[in-house]
């Protein structure tokens, strides 16, 4: 056997854990998105500012030329800033037409963020629609959530691979139907963008209480918080995660920049 003891069959590398303009503009936390590996399939989700630099700085480096797809949950810059350069890197400067690009229509057209010339470099473009799928990428089947309440087209993503589901709940205001919508996919892992600690300004983002509500309703085996704004960071996300873990009796993690989530290990630990 060609042994690679480091081989992880399903994993998520957090190339950033920050969110919101302030945290991202000052890079208090990085904002490179998530590099997902499902077997041999590699997908980069939400390549925000610094995504390419972060990907290449990892040891071992993430190789854009090996990506099967780039996905945007929505077009806001903290999720999409590096999409054009990532497309160039994935397609060897546009010389090798390869890879897929999945994004909401408003990220691709009109005041979209993916430049028309870069769109021509990829092999396939899928415009994400609410509650749809599967969109197939390599060995992975991807389904979208219902439309989020956010100022631009925003969809959650469910990644299904080998009887396991990883769900990503991106930015948006909490509403009750989210619980049933995400719960229906029975995620093993639920990654949530918890930007705010408490809602002081009534914005289209989850607070910690909203996230708690969602976890209680969806009951994933493992919940991961990320995309932290200033107030969340002040509250020490790992501490908040530990408290919730004790209260709810399931695994809750707070993402760090560069954190590698080995899904097999995390889910197995809970199941055992
Ligand atoms: Zn946003
Ligand atoms: Zn965001």
């Amino acid at each position: 056997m060609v042994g690679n003891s480091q081989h992880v069959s399903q994993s998520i590398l957090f190339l950033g854990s920050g969110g919101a303009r302030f945290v991202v503009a000052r890079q208090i936390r990085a904002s490179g998105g998530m590099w997902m590996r499902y077997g041999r399939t590699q997908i980069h989700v939400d390549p925000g500012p610094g995504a390419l630099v972060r990907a290449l700085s990892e040891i071992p480096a993430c190789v854009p030329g090996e990506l099967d797809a780039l996905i945007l949950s929505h077009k806001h810059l903290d999720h999409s800033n590096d999409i054009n350069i990532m497309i160039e890197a994935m397609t060897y400067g546009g010389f090798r037409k390869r890879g897929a690009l999945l994004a909401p229509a408003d990220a691709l057209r009109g005041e979209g963020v993916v430049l028309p010339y870069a769109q021509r470099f990829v092999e396939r473009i899928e415009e994400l629609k609410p509650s749809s799928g599967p969109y197939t990428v390599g060995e992975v089947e991807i389904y979208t959530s219902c439309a989020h309440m956010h100022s631009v087209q925003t969809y959650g993503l469910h990644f299904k691979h080998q009887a396991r589901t990883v769900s990503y709940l991106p930015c948006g205001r909490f509403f009750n139907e989210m619980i049933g919508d995400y719960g229906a996919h029975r995620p093993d892992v639920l990654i949530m963008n918890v930007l705010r600690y408490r809602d002081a300004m009534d914005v289209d983002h989850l607070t910690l209480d909203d996230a708690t509500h969602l976890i209680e309703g969806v009951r994933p085996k493992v919940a991961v918080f990320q995309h932290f704004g200033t107030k969340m960071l002040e509250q020490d996300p790992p501490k908040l995660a530990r408290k919730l873990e004790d209260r709810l009796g399931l695994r809750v993690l707070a993402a760090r920049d560069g954190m590698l989530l080995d899904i097999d290990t995390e889910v197995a630990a809970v199941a055992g």
Side-chain angles (χ1 to χ4, degrees):
M1 206 179 101
V2 186
N4 178 358
S5 56
Q6 298 228 306
H7 176 75
V8 181
S9 75
Q10 295 178 334
S11 68
I12 299 168
L13 177 61
F14 291 84
L15 296 177
S17 55
R21 273 164 236 206
F22 234 51
V23 170
V24 171
R26 295 155 89 186
Q27 289 290 294
I28 295 167
R29 288 281 186 109
S31 47
M34 293 174 278
W35 195 285
M36 300 179 163
R37 290 184 172 88
Y38 300 99
R40 298 161 68 93
T41 304
Q42 297 186 53
I43 302 171
H44 189 178
V45 181
D46 283 353
L52 178 62
V53 173
R54 284 274 161 178
L56 297 179
S57 311
E58 284 296 324
I59 301 170
C62 300
V63 182
E66 292 176 356
L67 278 174
D68 295 284
L70 283 156
I71 308 183
L72 301 180
S73 66
H74 66 296
K75 72 174 187 177
H76 283 156
L77 278 189
D78 52 336
H79 300 256
S80 71
N81 185 76
D82 274 17
I83 187 65
N84 294 295
I85 191 62
M86 285 308 304
I87 290 175
E88 282 211 354
M90 177 173 78
T91 60
Y92 297 85
F95 287 107
R96 256 198 252 171
K97 206 174 174 77
R98 61 178 301 284
L101 167 66
L102 283 64
D106 71 353
L108 300 168
R109 296 192 241 133
E111 282 185 43
V113 289
V114 188
L115 296 170
Y117 91 90
Q119 293 190 30
R120 287 192 286 275
F121 292 166
V122 300
E123 201 165 42
R124 175 167 65 106
I125 295 179
E126 301 261 18
E127 283 185 7
L128 296 174
K129 304 261 164 28
S131 307
S132 60
Y135 304 90
T136 304
V137 173
E139 306 160 32
V140 186
E141 300 215 310
I142 300 163
Y143 295 81
T144 55
S145 73
C146 59
H148 275 210
M149 286 171 70
H150 207 44
S151 56
V152 297
Q153 290 172 1
T154 306
Y155 309 118
L157 300 158
H158 303 279
F159 299 86
K160 306 205 182 243
H161 177 253
Q162 290 183 353
R164 208 166 264 165
T165 301
V166 173
S167 298
Y168 168 43
L169 192 152
C171 303
R173 178 186 294 260
F174 176 79
F175 56 104
N176 255 312
E177 290 71 34
M178 278 178 139
I179 296 175
D181 192 75
Y182 279 80
H185 286 272
R186 306 182 139 274
D188 295 285
V189 178
L190 176 62
I191 301 158
M192 313 163 86
N193 289 2
V194 190
L195 212 97
R196 306 190 60 80
Y197 178 58
R198 295 262 152 76
D199 204 351
M201 296 193 301
D202 192 33
V203 291
D204 286 345
H205 282 288
L206 289 191
T207 62
L208 182 68
D209 284 345
D210 297 333
T212 306
H213 225 66
L214 273 157
I215 297 175
E216 283 174 316
V218 175
R219 301 291 306 178
K221 295 193 179 86
V222 181
V224 185
F225 293 163
Q226 63 149 11
H227 212 60
F228 303 123
T230 320
K231 288 279 171 342
M232 267 302 277
L233 288 174
E234 280 170 13
Q235 295 295 323
D236 188 9
K239 192 184 80 191
L240 297 174
R242 273 196 305 276
K243 267 200 207 156
L244 261 185
E245 194 164 77
D246 292 344
R247 218 182 91 201
L248 304 178
L250 44 79
R251 192 109 173 86
V252 184
L253 298 165
R256 286 174 282 104
D257 293 348
M259 180 173 96
L260 178 72
L261 185 78
D262 175 341
I263 295 171
D264 299 304
T265 307
E266 288 295 339
V267 172
V270 176

